[in-house]
Amino acid sequence: MEERSVVIERGVNLIKCCKVPRLTRSLDDAQLQPATFQTFVTVLNDTLPKIFDMISQYQEQLLTHDEFNQENLEFRSTLVLVVMEQLSESGEMYHFFQTEHHSLREQISRIYDQGMMHHLITGSEGDPVRKRLLEHYQQVLSGKEWLFHPADVLSFVRICEFLYRNFSVTAIELPQTVASFVLSVGISLAEYYDPDYELLGLRLFNALLNVSYSAMLKESNIHEVVFQNSFKLNAKSKTESFLKELWRCHYQYIKIAQAGKINFSEWSAIDDVMEALLDALAFEQNLSLSSILLLYLLKLLTIDLPDFLIDDLDDIQAIGSRCHLYEPVLEQLRKYCSLEFHNRRFYRWHRRMVSMLPFELEKSCGISRDHGKYMHGVNLLFVLVVFPIESEAVGQLLGMQTALLDFIIAFKRHMREQYARIQALTGKCDFLYSLKASVSCDKSVAIFARNVATKYFDKKSEFWKVIGVTETEDSYQEDRIFYECLKELQNRC
């Protein structure tokens, strides 16, 4: 027993040396610089190997939970803090206080990835650790004190994501008092002028907005406060990571707030989000940023389609049929949208979304994989916006007819260009993925002409001539040559 106490005491003394100390000047007074942490990093690099050796030699004494003996609680809690501070993310400001030794980073990652972190802070064994961590964070992150603890800010965000956002099996309980504290820290970070901290604030918001906590969030109205604070960030940074967190936050809020809603006549938060999203997408020309915005537009459009889950623009999963291939699921989606599903929630945005189709298509016309991915998104947008509509909701609206004609004409031109590229192509095919997306979109246009176009165009319209339908034949004939070319291309590659 005495040996155990000695081991734990030594471990605690060592692990404390690896915890980033409080700054002497706040972030408001001095910008973070590598020199600020020079002495600490030297001590860290010297101490971490000793910590790992001790864990390897005395894992049972240092890490095993014993309800009758809490001697190692401080070591376990501080180890969690150190691991969360030292997990490296390239390109961020956090490397100032992180070890640069590759072997040490790998060992930190192993503790995080291979179950030890889960053992330390989840389940009944993690209860005392979580309580200890909360007490620590309430001390160092309340009020303006967080400005002296950048490493604790980072570790707090990561722990909240680990516990409340990224759990793999069952949700960890999130008491309202803890949620309120997480919210207060998130607001402080989101309101700070530094984009890095605004992003951390959004990550905390997303940790809170988990549908598993819907009942608690609605009871406390925390989800509304989160939305009010995240929506103000729409005009902020336009990095990919920021946009992903921002729109994930808006989407998670809508999933919680709009669940079960069937009255779509009143203007609501989902309409504010739609307006902001469509404005952002219309003015964004960067393909990577547009892809993020388009993805969340598609997610919103499928919010009332419980059997379809869009995770990425080139990865559609139909939960009901457990089908993970793009084209079979899209085939189901085309049929369902044209025959059964009517997207009444977004009728007021219908004309605007149709008018966007030619411009979004223009972004996807290229030969790279990214262009192909975006073409898949445009294909989905075309199906989800144009197909699920009732004739009475459309009328003969000239603006929409013009936009649809422009879209189809531009798409046919794009397909001719793709065909020319195939004919000239020798060797490796870099645009195979892009061509697959084009062929899939061509099929959507065909099904539109057969089953949906009569809702938008009368029989005397020029539309039928544009798409190559004769007076005696009212079905669009796809150009099978593209399918043959695709097969030839796959064989060649």
Side-chain angles (χ1 to χ4, degrees), residues 217-329:
L217 293 171
K218 287 187 173 181
E219 181 181 348
S220 59
N221 220 35
I222 285 176
H223 67 305
E224 295 290 350
V225 180
V226 167
F227 176 68
Q228 292 166 12
N229 283 274
S230 65
F231 199 74
K232 292 187 291 187
L233 297 176
N234 281 337
K236 295 283 185 173
S237 171
K238 278 196 173 184
T239 63
E240 287 187 41
S241 56
F242 187 91
L243 273 187
K244 286 178 181 177
E245 292 295 330
L246 177 65
W247 287 102
R248 185 182 190 277
C249 188
H250 293 345
Y251 178 65
Q252 289 295 105
Y253 162 77
I254 286 171
K255 283 209 299 184
I256 292 171
Q258 300 289 317
K261 183 175 180 180
I262 58 175
N263 179 12
F264 308 138
S265 60
E266 296 180 0
W267 189 276
S268 64
I270 195 171
D271 293 297
D272 292 329
V273 170
M274 276 294 293
E275 188 166 32
L277 180 54
L278 293 176
D279 285 344
L281 187 59
F283 289 101
E284 184 55 68
Q285 294 302 314
N286 179 282
L287 194 61
S288 297
L289 300 183
S290 290
S291 293
I292 298 168
L293 297 169
L294 180 58
L295 172 61
Y296 280 98
L297 176 56
L298 297 174
K299 282 179 174 288
L300 286 178
L301 292 174
T302 55
I303 200 169
D304 297 315
L305 289 173
D307 288 336
F308 294 90
L309 175 68
I310 297 176
D311 288 328
D312 207 344
L313 297 187
D314 59 351
D315 179 17
I316 307 176
Q317 297 173 327
I319 300 171
S321 62
R322 299 184 180 278
C323 182
H324 300 275
L325 300 176
Y326 181 89
E327 192 55 39
V329 179

Side-chain angles (χ1 to χ4, degrees), residues 414-425 431 482 485:
H414 166 70
M415 291 298 274
R416 288 195 296 271
E417 292 169 354
Q418 291 287 68
Y419 179 64
R421 292 185 182 110
I422 295 171
Q423 297 297 91
L425 190 63
F431 75 104
F482 287 107
C485 286

Side-chain angles (χ1 to χ4, degrees), residues 302-363:
T302 55
I303 200 169
D304 297 315
L305 289 173
D307 288 336
F308 294 90
L309 175 68
I310 297 176
D311 288 328
D312 207 344
L313 297 187
D314 59 351
D315 179 17
I316 307 176
Q317 297 173 327
I319 300 171
S321 62
R322 299 184 180 278
C323 182
H324 300 275
L325 300 176
Y326 181 89
E327 192 55 39
V329 179
L330 191 54
E331 186 70 20
Q332 296 175 25
L333 193 61
R334 293 184 190 110
K335 182 177 179 181
Y336 186 56
C337 287
S338 61
L339 299 179
E340 301 178 46
F341 177 63
H342 303 295
N343 209 351
R344 295 183 180 91
R345 189 189 295 270
F346 298 104
Y347 273 4
R348 62 168 56 98
W349 301 104
H350 187 242
R351 183 187 299 190
R352 183 169 178 185
M353 287 189 289
V354 169
S355 69
M356 291 173 61
L357 285 170
F359 301 99
E360 297 310 308
L361 176 67
E362 184 180 348
K363 297 178 188 177

Side-chain angles (χ1 to χ4, degrees), residues 425-443:
L425 190 63
T426 57
K428 187 172 177 61
C429 314
D430 292 331
F431 75 104
L432 177 61
Y433 190 89
S434 174
L435 186 65
K436 285 182 179 180
S438 299
V439 169
S440 180
C441 192
D442 191 46
K443 189 169 185 179

